[in-house]
Amino acid sequence: MDAPLSPGLYIVATPIGNLGDMTPRGAEILRGVAAIACEDTRVTGKLLHHLGIKARMIRYDDHASDNARDGVLALAAQQPVALVSDAGTPLISDPGFKLVREAKARGIAVTSLPGASAAIVALTLSGLPSDRFLFAGFLPNKAKARREVLEELVAVPATLLFYETAPRLADALAAIGDVLPGREVAVARELTKKFEECRTGAVAELIAHYAAHPPKGEIVLVIAPPLAASPSEVDADTLLREALVHHKPSQAAAEVARLTGLDRKALYARALDLK
Ligand code: SAM
């Protein structure tokens, strides 16, 4: 028999759709802990059943009362306790940050067992630059707030990653087309599952595709960096054409000048020709 686990908090990543992606080490830890803190005992119960593990589960999220957090931490100070989320890596748009922060403040050992995270799977599948990326969680639901978040990130010289849901995809793509015209975008859907799909292209193409084929399931949006930071060659005419869909020639020229560093007056003249 393996040696018993030391006390502490064990952050364990779980599959994002394909149960075969549970790591052997993660499963071994789940088998060996005194309790598993999880978002939803039914969801984690199914995973444990699949793995043939019987374990005590404690419902936990970061909105839990301080008492509930204290309970998990008091246990982790004495015994091994795992933290899992419904799917993927805990703390990544999922509960756990407050628990980990407080565990470290109390001197409780924390260890993290890597595994699936939808953002990384999407980035690697997208065909967009992977050397620098910024993961920004979920885009806000409300149009104004969504726009503000995108505007805040417009000049970031990195690939952008957002979590999304199928019913909100059309609104998100429309906002991206408006605020970040000319960017290549990937829609990564149902990753690791039977109907996995990753479609990369111009925003207008993606909007048209998903209007004709309403998407289902879970989605990650991946947005290419501004042109100057991107190794892929998209010419200024393409950017101007996209910008002209929503903007007057002067605004389109200003937008493309900001994205590319090209001369605004020359772009304006070209925008008038294209119009
Ligand atoms: N902690 C998780 C992780 O590490 O990926 C993410 C949890 S977050 C609450 C759920 C979101 O992750 C979904 O709305 C979707 O954007 C993304 N996601 C999770 N599983 C996915 C999958 N199989 N395919 C595409 N996106 C997925």
Side-chain angles (χ1 to χ4, degrees), residues 16 87 89 92-94 117-118 138 163-164 190-191 218-220:
I16 57 168
T89 301
I92 307 300
S93 289
D94 265 338
S117 188
F138 284 92
Y163 282 160
E164 218 11 295
E190 293 289 86
L191 298 168
E218 302 189 280
I219 290 171
V220 183

Side-chain angles (χ1 to χ4, degrees), residues 18 31 113 160 177 213-214 221 229 245 256 268:
N18 186 328
R31 193 165 278 119
L113 285 90
L160 304 176
H213 307 93
L221 284 170
V245 174
V256 177
Y268 178 60

Side-chain angles (χ1 to χ4, degrees), residues 14-239:
T14 58
I16 57 168
N18 186 328
L19 291 176
D21 292 336
M22 185 72 216
T23 69
R25 189 160 81 100
E28 190 186 313
I29 295 292
L30 294 181
R31 193 165 278 119
V33 291
I36 300 172
C38 60
E39 286 181 89
D40 183 329
T41 53
R42 281 166 310 175
V43 174
T44 298
K46 278 188 198 153
L47 175 69
L48 295 179
H49 179 74
H50 169 80
L51 297 171
I53 295 172
K54 284 210 167 77
R56 174 181 168 200
M57 289 183 275
I58 306 171
R59 223 193 68 72
Y60 175 81
D61 66 49
D62 275 343
H63 306 297
S65 64
D66 289 347
N67 270 350
R69 191 156 28 254
D70 270 352
V72 175
L73 291 170
L75 193 61
Q78 305 292 328
Q79 298 188 62
V81 174
L83 170 69
V84 300
S85 52
D86 284 353
T89 301
L91 283 83
I92 307 300
S93 289
D94 265 338
F97 163 68
K98 288 186 181 170
L99 193 67
V100 169
R101 190 157 174 89
E102 187 58 28
K104 290 175 85 75
R106 294 185 190 189
I108 295 171
V110 181
T111 186
S112 184
L113 285 90
S117 188
I120 298 299
V121 180
L123 177 67
T124 56
L125 262 185
S126 66
L128 298 179
S130 56
D131 52 336
R132 271 178 155 210
F133 60 92
L134 189 149
F135 169 69
F138 284 92
L139 273 172
N141 214 350
K142 299 225 165 93
K144 184 164 174 279
R146 183 164 48 220
R147 218 189 141 83
E148 281 168 4
V149 168
L150 291 171
E151 279 167 355
E152 198 186 329
L153 299 173
V154 84
V156 172
T159 293
L160 304 176
L161 293 158
F162 294 101
Y163 282 160
E164 218 11 295
T165 60
R168 302 188 337 179
L169 178 65
D171 286 346
L173 287 175
I176 291 165
D178 211 16
V179 182
L180 310 169
R183 302 278 185 104
E184 238 185 321
V185 173
V187 175
R189 205 172 61 79
E190 293 289 86
L191 298 168
T192 77
K193 303 185 197 176
K194 188 172 175 192
F195 296 108
E196 173 176 293
E197 166 189 67
C198 183
R199 188 169 284 273
T200 305
V203 179
E205 282 165 29
L206 295 171
I207 290 175
H209 174 82
Y210 288 108
H213 307 93
K216 287 193 183 137
E218 302 189 280
I219 290 171
V220 183
L221 284 170
V222 191
I223 307 176
L227 189 57
S230 167
S232 68
E233 282 280 318
V234 181
D235 71 357
D237 277 5
T238 310
L239 293 171

